[in-house]
Amino acid sequence: MTGALVTAVTALALVAGVVTVLSSRALRSGVRVLLDLLIAAGLLRLAGDPGWSGLAGAVAIIALRQLLGAALSTPPPWSGRQSRARCADDDHHLPLASTGEIGRSGG
């Protein structure tokens, strides 16, 4: 009984991960959903048949989820290399938020 439930949760984890990626176009979210549901399947397997192999499988999935979660939460390496906006030098006419002053008019 537990084996069928674990297989069903594993299959649904794959489907949910793919649907998440396709609907939100966010690979990070899809991987996180997939790994969270695979953790659930591993814990179900461990509850149904307690043993060292089930424990090792659950630990491996949890470790993989932690490693991929840390890797996916870091910003991409190209995100810090953006050039300044062209209007950054010409925004002296905007009100200053901290003092309420207004610079010279741009007109």
Side-chain angles (χ1 to χ4, degrees):
M1 171 80 179
T2 308
L5 183 61
V6 169
T7 304
V9 170
T10 303
L12 289 174
L14 291 171
V15 170
V18 169
V19 167
T20 302
V21 169
L22 293 177
S23 64
S24 68
R25 303 224 188 264
L27 182 64
R28 293 177 182 188
S29 298
V31 170
R32 288 180 179 154
V33 166
L34 172 69
L35 290 175
D36 284 343
L37 291 174
L38 287 179
I39 288 173
L43 293 176
L44 283 172
R45 181 179 299 126
L46 188 60
D49 185 24
W52 290 109
S53 63
L55 181 62
V59 167
I61 293 171
I62 291 171
L64 180 66
R65 199 258 187 251
Q66 293 296 323
L67 289 172
L68 284 176
L72 292 175
S73 66
T74 59
W78 61 85
S79 66
R81 296 187 211 155
Q82 294 180 351
S83 61
R84 287 183 52 189
R86 283 193 246 162
C87 64
D89 294 330
D90 190 32
D91 63 354
H92 56 273
H93 63 281
L94 299 174
L96 302 174
S98 61
T99 61
E101 298 176 20
I102 299 176
R104 73 177 178 93
S105 174

Coordinates of all heavy atoms in Angstrom, one line a residue:
M1 N 0.8 -1.2 0.0 CA 0.0 0.0 0.0 C 0.9 1.3 0.0 O 0.6 2.2 -0.8 CB -0.9 -0.1 1.2 CG -1.7 1.2 1.5 SD -3.1 1.3 0.4 CE -3.8 2.8 0.9
T2 N 1.9 1.3 0.9 CA 2.7 2.5 1.0 C 3.5 2.6 -0.3 O 3.8 3.8 -0.7 CB 3.6 2.4 2.2 OG1 2.8 2.1 3.3 CG2 4.4 3.6 2.4
G3 N 4.0 1.5 -0.9 CA 4.8 1.6 -2.1 C 4.0 2.3 -3.2 O 4.6 3.1 -4.0
A4 N 2.7 2.0 -3.4 CA 1.9 2.6 -4.4 C 1.7 4.1 -4.1 O 1.7 4.9 -5.1 CB 0.6 1.9 -4.5
L5 N 1.6 4.4 -2.9 CA 1.4 5.8 -2.5 C 2.7 6.6 -2.8 O 2.6 7.7 -3.3 CB 1.0 5.9 -1.0 CG 0.7 7.3 -0.5 CD1 -0.4 8.0 -1.2 CD2 0.5 7.3 1.0
V6 N 3.8 6.0 -2.5 CA 5.1 6.7 -2.8 C 5.3 6.9 -4.3 O 5.7 7.9 -4.7 CB 6.3 5.8 -2.2 CG1 7.6 6.4 -2.6 CG2 6.2 5.9 -0.6
T7 N 4.9 5.8 -5.0 CA 5.1 5.9 -6.5 C 4.1 7.0 -7.0 O 4.5 7.8 -7.9 CB 4.7 4.6 -7.2 OG1 5.6 3.6 -6.6 CG2 4.9 4.7 -8.7
A8 N 2.9 7.1 -6.5 CA 2.0 8.1 -7.0 C 2.5 9.5 -6.6 O 2.4 10.5 -7.4 CB 0.6 7.9 -6.3
V9 N 3.0 9.7 -5.4 CA 3.5 11.0 -5.0 C 4.7 11.4 -5.8 O 4.9 12.6 -6.2 CB 3.8 11.1 -3.5 CG1 4.6 12.3 -3.1 CG2 2.6 10.9 -2.7
T10 N 5.6 10.5 -6.1 CA 6.7 10.7 -7.0 C 6.3 11.2 -8.4 O 6.8 12.1 -9.0 CB 7.6 9.5 -7.1 OG1 8.0 9.1 -5.7 CG2 8.9 9.8 -7.9
A11 N 5.3 10.4 -9.0 CA 4.8 10.8 -10.3 C 4.2 12.2 -10.3 O 4.4 13.0 -11.2 CB 3.9 9.7 -10.8
L12 N 3.4 12.4 -9.2 CA 2.7 13.7 -9.2 C 3.7 14.8 -8.9 O 3.5 16.0 -9.3 CB 1.7 13.7 -8.0 CG 0.4 12.9 -8.4 CD1 -0.5 12.8 -7.1 CD2 -0.3 13.5 -9.6
A13 N 4.8 14.5 -8.2 CA 5.9 15.5 -8.0 C 6.5 16.0 -9.4 O 6.7 17.2 -9.6 CB 7.0 15.0 -7.1
L14 N 6.7 15.0 -10.2 CA 7.3 15.3 -11.6 C 6.3 16.1 -12.4 O 6.6 17.1 -13.0 CB 7.6 14.0 -12.3 CG 8.8 13.2 -11.7 CD1 8.9 11.9 -12.4 CD2 10.1 14.0 -11.9
V15 N 5.0 15.7 -12.3 CA 4.0 16.5 -13.1 C 3.8 17.9 -12.5 O 3.8 18.9 -13.3 CB 2.6 15.7 -13.0 CG1 1.5 16.6 -13.5 CG2 2.7 14.4 -13.8
A16 N 3.8 18.0 -11.2 CA 3.7 19.4 -10.6 C 4.9 20.3 -10.9 O 4.7 21.5 -11.1 CB 3.5 19.2 -9.1
G17 N 6.1 19.7 -10.9 CA 7.3 20.5 -11.2 C 7.2 21.0 -12.7 O 7.5 22.1 -12.9
V18 N 6.8 20.1 -13.6 CA 6.8 20.5 -15.0 C 5.6 21.5 -15.2 O 5.8 22.5 -15.9 CB 6.5 19.2 -15.9 CG1 6.2 19.6 -17.3 CG2 7.8 18.4 -15.9
V19 N 4.5 21.3 -14.6 CA 3.4 22.3 -14.7 C 3.8 23.6 -14.2 O 3.5 24.7 -14.7 CB 2.1 21.7 -14.1 CG1 1.0 22.8 -13.9 CG2 1.6 20.6 -14.9
T20 N 4.5 23.6 -13.0 CA 4.9 24.9 -12.4 C 5.9 25.6 -13.4 O 5.8 26.9 -13.6 CB 5.6 24.6 -11.1 OG1 4.7 24.0 -10.2 CG2 6.0 25.9 -10.4
V21 N 6.8 24.9 -14.0 CA 7.8 25.6 -14.9 C 7.0 26.1 -16.1 O 7.3 27.2 -16.6 CB 8.9 24.6 -15.3 CG1 9.7 25.1 -16.5 CG2 9.8 24.3 -14.1
L22 N 6.1 25.3 -16.7 CA 5.4 25.7 -17.9 C 4.5 26.9 -17.6 O 4.3 27.8 -18.5 CB 4.7 24.6 -18.5 CG 5.6 23.5 -19.1 CD1 4.7 22.3 -19.6 CD2 6.5 24.0 -20.2
S23 N 3.8 26.9 -16.5 CA 2.8 27.9 -16.2 C 3.5 29.2 -15.7 O 3.0 30.3 -16.1 CB 1.8 27.5 -15.2 OG 2.4 27.2 -14.0
S24 N 4.5 29.2 -15.0 CA 5.1 30.4 -14.4 C 6.4 30.8 -15.2 O 6.9 31.9 -14.9 CB 5.4 30.2 -12.9 OG 6.5 29.3 -12.8
R25 N 6.9 29.9 -16.0 CA 8.2 30.2 -16.7 C 9.3 30.5 -15.7 O 10.2 31.2 -16.0 CB 8.0 31.3 -17.7 CG 6.9 31.1 -18.7 CD 7.4 31.4 -20.1 NE 6.3 31.4 -21.0 CZ 6.0 30.4 -21.8 NH1 6.7 29.3 -21.7 NH2 5.0 30.4 -22.6
A26 N 9.2 29.9 -14.5 CA 10.3 30.1 -13.5 C 10.8 28.7 -13.2 O 10.2 27.9 -12.5 CB 9.7 30.7 -12.3
L27 N 12.0 28.4 -13.7 CA 12.7 27.1 -13.4 C 12.9 26.9 -11.9 O 12.8 25.8 -11.4 CB 14.0 27.0 -14.2 CG 14.7 25.7 -14.1 CD1 13.9 24.6 -14.7 CD2 16.1 25.8 -14.8
R28 N 13.3 28.0 -11.2 CA 13.6 27.9 -9.8 C 12.4 27.4 -9.0 O 12.5 26.5 -8.2 CB 14.0 29.2 -9.2 CG 15.3 29.7 -9.8 CD 15.7 31.0 -9.2 NE 17.0 31.5 -9.8 CZ 17.6 32.5 -9.4 NH1 17.1 33.3 -8.4 NH2 18.7 32.9 -9.9
S29 N 11.2 27.9 -9.3 CA 10.0 27.5 -8.6 C 9.7 26.1 -8.9 O 9.3 25.3 -8.0 CB 8.9 28.4 -9.0 OG 9.1 29.7 -8.6
G30 N 9.8 25.7 -10.2 CA 9.5 24.3 -10.5 C 10.4 23.3 -9.9 O 10.0 22.2 -9.4
V31 N 11.7 23.6 -9.8 CA 12.7 22.7 -9.1 C 12.3 22.6 -7.6 O 12.4 21.6 -7.0 CB 14.1 23.2 -9.3 CG1 15.1 22.4 -8.5 CG2 14.5 23.0 -10.8
R32 N 12.0 23.7 -7.0 CA 11.6 23.7 -5.6 C 10.4 22.9 -5.3 O 10.3 22.1 -4.3 CB 11.5 25.2 -5.1 CG 12.8 25.9 -5.0 CD 12.7 27.3 -4.5 NE 14.0 27.9 -4.3 CZ 14.2 29.2 -4.4 NH1 13.2 30.0 -4.6 NH2 15.4 29.6 -4.3
V33 N 9.4 23.0 -6.2 CA 8.2 22.3 -6.0 C 8.5 20.8 -6.1 O 8.0 19.9 -5.3 CB 7.1 22.7 -7.0 CG1 5.9 21.7 -7.1 CG2 6.6 24.1 -6.6
L34 N 9.2 20.4 -7.2 CA 9.6 19.0 -7.4 C 10.4 18.5 -6.2 O 10.0 17.4 -5.7 CB 10.5 18.9 -8.7 CG 11.1 17.6 -8.9 CD1 10.0 16.6 -9.3 CD2 12.1 17.7 -10.0
L35 N 11.3 19.2 -5.7 CA 12.1 18.6 -4.6 C 11.3 18.6 -3.3 O 11.5 17.6 -2.5 CB 13.4 19.5 -4.4 CG 14.4 19.3 -5.5 CD1 15.6 20.3 -5.3 CD2 14.9 17.9 -5.6
D36 N 10.5 19.5 -3.1 CA 9.6 19.4 -1.9 C 8.7 18.2 -1.9 O 8.5 17.5 -0.9 CB 8.8 20.7 -1.7 CG 9.6 21.9 -1.2 OD1 10.7 21.6 -0.7 OD2 9.2 23.0 -1.3
L37 N 8.1 17.9 -3.0 CA 7.3 16.8 -3.1 C 8.1 15.5 -3.1 O 7.6 14.4 -2.7 CB 6.4 16.9 -4.4 CG 5.3 18.0 -4.3 CD1 4.6 18.1 -5.6 CD2 4.4 17.7 -3.2
L38 N 9.3 15.5 -3.6 CA 10.1 14.3 -3.5 C 10.5 14.0 -2.1 O 10.7 12.9 -1.7 CB 11.4 14.4 -4.4 CG 11.1 14.3 -5.9 CD1 12.4 14.5 -6.7 CD2 10.5 13.0 -6.3
I39 N 10.7 15.1 -1.3 CA 10.9 14.9 0.1 C 9.7 14.2 0.8 O 9.9 13.3 1.6 CB 11.3 16.2 0.8 CG1 12.7 16.7 0.4 CG2 11.2 16.1 2.3 CD1 13.0 18.1 0.9
A40 N 8.5 14.7 0.4 CA 7.3 14.1 0.9 C 7.3 12.6 0.6 O 6.9 11.7 1.4 CB 6.1 14.8 0.4
A41 N 7.6 12.2 -0.7 CA 7.6 10.8 -1.1 C 8.7 10.0 -0.3 O 8.4 8.9 0.1 CB 7.9 10.7 -2.6
G42 N 9.8 10.6 -0.1 CA 10.8 9.9 0.7 C 10.4 9.7 2.2 O 10.7 8.6 2.7
L43 N 9.7 10.7 2.7 CA 9.3 10.5 4.1 C 8.1 9.5 4.2 O 8.0 8.7 5.2 CB 8.8 11.9 4.7 CG 10.0 12.9 4.9 CD1 9.4 14.2 5.4 CD2 11.0 12.3 5.9
L44 N 7.3 9.4 3.2 CA 6.3 8.4 3.1 C 6.9 7.0 3.0 O 6.4 6.0 3.7 CB 5.3 8.6 2.0 CG 4.3 9.7 2.1 CD1 3.5 9.9 0.8 CD2 3.3 9.3 3.2
R45 N 7.9 6.9 2.2 CA 8.6 5.6 2.1 C 9.2 5.2 3.4 O 9.2 4.1 3.8 CB 9.7 5.7 1.0 CG 10.5 4.4 0.8 CD 11.5 4.5 -0.3 NE 10.9 4.8 -1.5 CZ 11.3 5.9 -2.3 NH1 12.3 6.7 -1.9 NH2 10.7 6.1 -3.5
L46 N 9.8 6.2 4.1 CA 10.4 5.9 5.4 C 9.4 5.5 6.4 O 9.6 4.7 7.3 CB 11.2 7.2 5.9 CG 12.1 7.1 7.1 CD1 13.1 6.0 6.9 CD2 12.7 8.4 7.4
A47 N 8.2 6.1 6.4 CA 7.1 5.8 7.3 C 6.6 4.4 7.1 O 6.3 3.7 8.0 CB 6.0 6.8 7.3
G48 N 6.5 4.0 5.8 CA 6.0 2.7 5.5 C 6.9 1.5 5.7 O 6.5 0.5 6.1
D49 N 8.2 1.7 5.4 CA 9.2 0.7 5.5 C 10.4 1.3 6.2 O 11.4 1.6 5.5 CB 9.5 0.1 4.2 CG 10.5 -1.1 4.2 OD1 10.5 -1.7 5.3 OD2 11.2 -1.3 3.2
P50 N 10.4 1.4 7.5 CA 11.6 2.0 8.2 C 12.8 1.1 8.0 O 12.8 -0.1 8.3 CB 11.2 2.2 9.6 CG 10.0 1.2 9.8 CD 9.4 1.0 8.5
G51 N 13.9 1.7 7.6 CA 15.1 1.0 7.4 C 16.2 2.0 7.0 O 15.9 3.2 6.7
W52 N 17.4 1.5 6.9 CA 18.5 2.4 6.6 C 18.5 2.9 5.2 O 18.9 4.0 4.9 CB 19.9 1.6 6.9 CG 20.1 1.5 8.4 CD1 20.0 0.3 9.1 CD2 20.3 2.5 9.3 NE1 20.2 0.5 10.4 CE2 20.4 1.9 10.6 CE3 20.5 3.9 9.3 CZ2 20.7 2.6 11.8 CZ3 20.7 4.5 10.4 CH2 20.9 3.9 11.7
S53 N 18.0 2.0 4.3 CA 18.0 2.5 2.9 C 17.0 3.6 2.7 O 17.2 4.5 1.9 CB 17.7 1.3 2.0 OG 16.4 0.8 2.2
G54 N 15.8 3.5 3.3 CA 14.8 4.5 3.3 C 15.3 5.8 3.9 O 15.1 6.9 3.4
L55 N 16.0 5.7 5.0 CA 16.6 6.8 5.7 C 17.6 7.5 4.8 O 17.7 8.7 4.7 CB 17.1 6.5 7.0 CG 17.7 7.6 7.9 CD1 16.7 8.6 8.2 CD2 18.4 7.0 9.1
A56 N 18.5 6.7 4.2 CA 19.5 7.2 3.3 C 18.9 8.0 2.1 O 19.4 9.0 1.7 CB 20.5 6.1 2.9
G57 N 17.8 7.4 1.6 CA 17.2 8.1 0.5 C 16.6 9.4 0.8 O 16.7 10.4 0.1
A58 N 15.9 9.4 2.0 CA 15.3 10.7 2.5 C 16.4 11.7 2.8 O 16.2 12.9 2.4 CB 14.5 10.4 3.7
V59 N 17.5 11.3 3.4 CA 18.6 12.2 3.7 C 19.2 12.8 2.4 O 19.5 14.0 2.3 CB 19.6 11.6 4.6 CG1 20.9 12.4 4.6 CG2 19.1 11.4 6.0
A60 N 19.3 11.9 1.4 CA 19.9 12.3 0.1 C 19.0 13.4 -0.6 O 19.5 14.4 -1.1 CB 20.1 11.1 -0.8
I61 N 17.7 13.1 -0.6 CA 16.8 14.1 -1.2 C 16.8 15.4 -0.5 O 16.8 16.5 -1.1 CB 15.4 13.5 -1.3 CG1 15.4 12.3 -2.2 CG2 14.4 14.5 -1.7 CD1 14.1 11.5 -2.2
I62 N 16.8 15.4 0.9 CA 16.9 16.6 1.7 C 18.2 17.4 1.4 O 18.2 18.6 1.3 CB 16.6 16.3 3.1 CG1 15.2 15.8 3.3 CG2 16.9 17.5 4.0 CD1 14.9 15.3 4.7
A63 N 19.3 16.6 1.4 CA 20.6 17.3 1.1 C 20.6 17.9 -0.3 O 21.1 19.1 -0.5 CB 21.7 16.3 1.3
L64 N 20.0 17.2 -1.3 CA 20.0 17.8 -2.6 C 19.1 19.0 -2.7 O 19.4 20.0 -3.3 CB 19.4 16.7 -3.6 CG 19.3 17.1 -5.0 CD1 20.6 17.3 -5.6 CD2 18.5 16.0 -5.8
R65 N 18.0 19.0 -1.9 CA 17.1 20.1 -1.9 C 17.8 21.3 -1.3 O 17.6 22.5 -1.7 CB 15.8 19.8 -1.1 CG 14.7 20.7 -1.4 CD 14.5 21.7 -0.3 NE 13.3 22.5 -0.5 CZ 13.3 23.8 -0.8 NH1 14.5 24.4 -1.1 NH2 12.3 24.5 -0.9
Q66 N 18.5 21.1 -0.2 CA 19.3 22.2 0.5 C 20.3 22.8 -0.4 O 20.5 24.0 -0.5 CB 19.9 21.7 1.8 CG 18.9 21.4 2.8 CD 18.0 22.5 3.3 OE1 18.5 23.7 3.4 NE2 16.8 22.3 3.5
L67 N 21.1 21.9 -1.1 CA 22.1 22.4 -2.0 C 21.6 23.2 -3.2 O 22.1 24.2 -3.6 CB 23.0 21.2 -2.5 CG 23.9 20.6 -1.4 CD1 24.6 19.3 -2.0 CD2 25.0 21.6 -1.0
L68 N 20.5 22.6 -3.8 CA 20.0 23.3 -5.0 C 19.2 24.6 -4.5 O 19.2 25.5 -5.3 CB 19.0 22.4 -5.7 CG 19.7 21.3 -6.6 CD1 18.6 20.4 -7.2 CD2 20.5 22.0 -7.7
G69 N 18.6 24.5 -3.4 CA 18.0 25.8 -2.9 C 19.0 26.9 -2.7 O 18.7 28.0 -3.0
A70 N 20.1 26.5 -2.1 CA 21.2 27.6 -1.9 C 21.7 28.0 -3.2 O 22.0 29.2 -3.4 CB 22.3 27.0 -1.0
A71 N 21.9 27.1 -4.2 CA 22.4 27.5 -5.5 C 21.4 28.4 -6.3 O 21.8 29.3 -7.0 CB 22.8 26.3 -6.3
L72 N 20.1 28.1 -6.1 CA 19.1 28.8 -6.9 C 18.8 30.1 -6.2 O 18.2 31.0 -6.9 CB 17.8 28.0 -7.0 CG 17.9 26.7 -7.9 CD1 16.7 25.9 -7.8 CD2 18.3 27.1 -9.3
S73 N 19.1 30.3 -5.0 CA 18.8 31.6 -4.3 C 19.8 32.7 -4.5 O 19.6 33.8 -4.3 CB 18.6 31.4 -2.8 OG 19.8 31.0 -2.2
T74 N 21.0 32.3 -5.0 CA 22.0 33.3 -5.3 C 21.6 34.0 -6.6 O 21.1 33.3 -7.6 CB 23.4 32.7 -5.4 OG1 23.4 31.7 -6.4 CG2 23.8 32.1 -4.1
P75 N 21.9 35.3 -6.8 CA 21.6 36.0 -8.0 C 22.5 35.5 -9.1 O 23.6 35.0 -8.9 CB 21.8 37.4 -7.7 CG 22.8 37.4 -6.5 CD 22.5 36.2 -5.8
P76 N 22.0 35.5 -10.4 CA 22.9 35.1 -11.5 C 24.1 36.0 -11.6 O 24.1 37.2 -11.2 CB 22.0 35.3 -12.7 CG 20.6 35.6 -12.2 CD 20.7 35.9 -10.8
P77 N 25.2 35.5 -12.1 CA 26.5 36.3 -12.1 C 26.4 37.5 -13.0 O 27.1 38.5 -12.8 CB 27.5 35.3 -12.7 CG 26.7 34.2 -13.3 CD 25.4 34.1 -12.6
W78 N 25.5 37.5 -14.0 CA 25.4 38.7 -14.9 C 24.5 39.8 -14.3 O 24.4 40.8 -14.9 CB 24.9 38.2 -16.2 CG 23.5 37.7 -16.2 CD1 22.3 38.3 -16.2 CD2 23.2 36.3 -16.1 NE1 21.3 37.5 -16.1 CE2 21.7 36.2 -16.0 CE3 23.9 35.1 -16.0 CZ2 21.1 35.0 -15.9 CZ3 23.2 33.9 -15.9 CH2 21.8 33.9 -15.8
S79 N 23.9 39.6 -13.2 CA 22.9 40.6 -12.7 C 23.6 41.8 -12.2 O 23.0 42.9 -12.1 CB 22.0 40.0 -11.6 OG 22.8 39.7 -10.5
G80 N 24.8 41.8 -11.8 CA 25.5 43.0 -11.2 C 26.2 43.8 -12.3 O 26.8 44.8 -12.0
R81 N 26.2 43.4 -13.5 CA 26.9 44.1 -14.5 C 26.1 44.9 -15.4 O 26.3 45.0 -16.6 CB 27.7 43.0 -15.4 CG 28.7 42.2 -14.7 CD 29.5 41.4 -15.6 NE 29.9 40.2 -14.9 CZ 30.1 39.0 -15.5 NH1 30.0 38.9 -16.8 NH2 30.5 38.0 -14.8
Q82 N 25.1 45.5 -14.9 CA 24.2 46.4 -15.7 C 24.8 47.8 -15.8 O 25.4 48.3 -14.8 CB 22.8 46.5 -15.1 CG 22.1 45.1 -15.2 CD 20.7 45.2 -14.6 OE1 20.4 46.2 -14.0 NE2 20.0 44.2 -14.8
S83 N 24.7 48.4 -16.9 CA 25.2 49.8 -17.0 C 24.2 50.8 -16.4 O 23.0 50.4 -16.2 CB 25.4 50.1 -18.5 OG 24.1 50.0 -19.2
R84 N 24.7 51.9 -16.1 CA 23.8 53.0 -15.5 C 22.8 53.4 -16.5 O 23.0 53.5 -17.7 CB 24.7 54.2 -15.1 CG 25.5 53.9 -13.8 CD 26.3 55.1 -13.4 NE 25.4 56.2 -13.3 CZ 25.8 57.5 -13.1 NH1 27.1 57.7 -13.0 NH2 24.9 58.5 -12.9
A85 N 21.7 53.9 -16.0 CA 20.6 54.4 -16.9 C 21.1 55.7 -17.5 O 21.8 56.5 -16.8 CB 19.3 54.6 -16.1
R86 N 20.7 56.0 -18.7 CA 21.2 57.2 -19.3 C 20.7 58.5 -18.7 O 21.3 59.5 -18.7 CB 20.7 57.2 -20.8 CG 21.6 56.3 -21.7 CD 21.3 56.6 -23.1 NE 20.7 55.4 -23.7 CZ 20.0 55.4 -24.8 NH1 19.8 56.5 -25.4 NH2 19.5 54.3 -25.2
C87 N 19.5 58.4 -18.0 CA 18.9 59.6 -17.4 C 19.5 59.8 -16.0 O 19.1 60.8 -15.4 CB 17.4 59.4 -17.3 SG 16.9 58.1 -16.3
A88 N 20.4 59.0 -15.5 CA 20.9 59.1 -14.1 C 21.6 60.5 -13.9 O 21.6 61.0 -12.8 CB 21.8 58.0 -13.8
D89 N 22.3 61.0 -14.9 CA 23.0 62.2 -14.8 C 22.1 63.4 -14.9 O 22.4 64.6 -14.5 CB 24.1 62.4 -15.8 CG 25.2 61.3 -15.6 OD1 25.4 60.9 -14.4 OD2 25.8 60.9 -16.6
D90 N 20.9 63.2 -15.4 CA 20.0 64.3 -15.7 C 18.8 64.3 -14.8 O 17.7 64.9 -15.1 CB 19.5 64.2 -17.2 CG 18.8 65.5 -17.6 OD1 19.1 66.6 -17.1 OD2 17.8 65.3 -18.4
D91 N 18.9 63.7 -13.6 CA 17.7 63.7 -12.7 C 17.8 64.7 -11.6 O 17.2 64.6 -10.6 CB 17.5 62.3 -12.2 CG 18.7 61.8 -11.3 OD1 19.7 62.5 -11.3 OD2 18.6 60.7 -10.8
H92 N 18.6 65.8 -11.7 CA 18.8 66.7 -10.7 C 17.6 67.6 -10.5 O 17.5 68.3 -9.5 CB 20.0 67.6 -11.0 CG 19.9 68.3 -12.3 ND1 20.4 67.7 -13.4 CD2 19.4 69.5 -12.6 CE1 20.2 68.5 -14.5 NE2 19.6 69.6 -14.0
H93 N 16.6 67.6 -11.4 CA 15.4 68.4 -11.2 C 14.4 67.7 -10.4 O 13.3 68.3 -10.1 CB 14.9 68.7 -12.6 CG 14.5 67.5 -13.4 ND1 15.4 66.7 -14.0 CD2 13.2 67.0 -13.6 CE1 14.7 65.7 -14.6 NE2 13.4 65.9 -14.4
L94 N 14.6 66.4 -10.0 CA 13.6 65.7 -9.2 C 13.7 66.1 -7.8 O 14.7 66.5 -7.3 CB 13.8 64.2 -9.4 CG 13.7 63.6 -10.8 CD1 14.1 62.2 -10.8 CD2 12.3 63.8 -11.3
P95 N 12.6 66.1 -7.0 CA 12.6 66.5 -5.6 C 13.4 65.4 -4.8 O 13.4 64.2 -5.1 CB 11.1 66.4 -5.2 CG 10.4 65.8 -6.3 CD 11.2 65.8 -7.5
L96 N 14.1 65.9 -3.9 CA 14.9 65.0 -3.0 C 14.0 64.5 -1.9 O 13.3 65.2 -1.2 CB 16.1 65.8 -2.4 CG 17.0 66.4 -3.4 CD1 18.1 67.3 -2.7 CD2 17.7 65.4 -4.2
A97 N 14.0 63.2 -1.8 CA 13.0 62.6 -0.9 C 13.3 62.9 0.6 O 12.4 63.0 1.4 CB 13.0 61.1 -1.1
S98 N 14.6 63.0 0.9 CA 14.9 63.2 2.4 C 14.7 64.6 2.8 O 14.3 64.9 4.0 CB 16.3 62.8 2.6 OG 17.2 63.6 1.9
T99 N 14.9 65.6 2.0 CA 14.8 67.0 2.4 C 13.6 67.8 1.8 O 13.3 68.8 2.3 CB 16.1 67.8 2.0 OG1 16.2 67.8 0.6 CG2 17.3 67.2 2.6
G100 N 13.0 67.2 0.8 CA 11.9 67.9 0.2 C 12.3 69.1 -0.7 O 11.5 69.8 -1.2
E101 N 13.6 69.2 -0.9 CA 14.1 70.3 -1.8 C 13.9 69.9 -3.3 O 13.8 68.7 -3.6 CB 15.6 70.5 -1.6 CG 15.9 71.0 -0.2 CD 17.4 71.1 0.1 OE1 18.2 71.2 -0.9 OE2 17.8 71.1 1.2
I102 N 14.0 70.9 -4.1 CA 13.9 70.7 -5.5 C 15.1 71.3 -6.2 O 15.4 72.5 -5.9 CB 12.6 71.3 -6.2 CG1 11.4 70.6 -5.5 CG2 12.6 71.1 -7.7 CD1 10.1 71.2 -6.0
G103 N 15.8 70.6 -7.0 CA 17.0 71.1 -7.7 C 16.6 72.1 -8.8 O 15.4 72.4 -9.0
R104 N 17.5 72.5 -9.6 CA 17.2 73.5 -10.6 C 16.3 72.8 -11.7 O 16.4 71.6 -11.9 CB 18.4 74.1 -11.2 CG 19.2 73.1 -12.1 CD 20.4 73.9 -12.7 NE 21.1 73.0 -13.5 CZ 21.0 72.8 -14.8 NH1 20.1 73.5 -15.5 NH2 21.7 71.9 -15.5
S105 N 15.5 73.5 -12.4 CA 14.6 73.0 -13.3 C 15.3 72.5 -14.5 O 16.3 73.1 -15.0 CB 13.6 74.1 -13.8 OG 12.8 73.6 -14.8
G106 N 14.8 71.4 -15.1 CA 15.4 70.9 -16.3 C 15.0 71.6 -17.5 O 15.5 71.4 -18.6
G107 N 14.1 72.5 -17.4 CA 13.5 73.2 -18.6 C 14.2 74.4 -18.9 O 14.8 75.0 -19.7

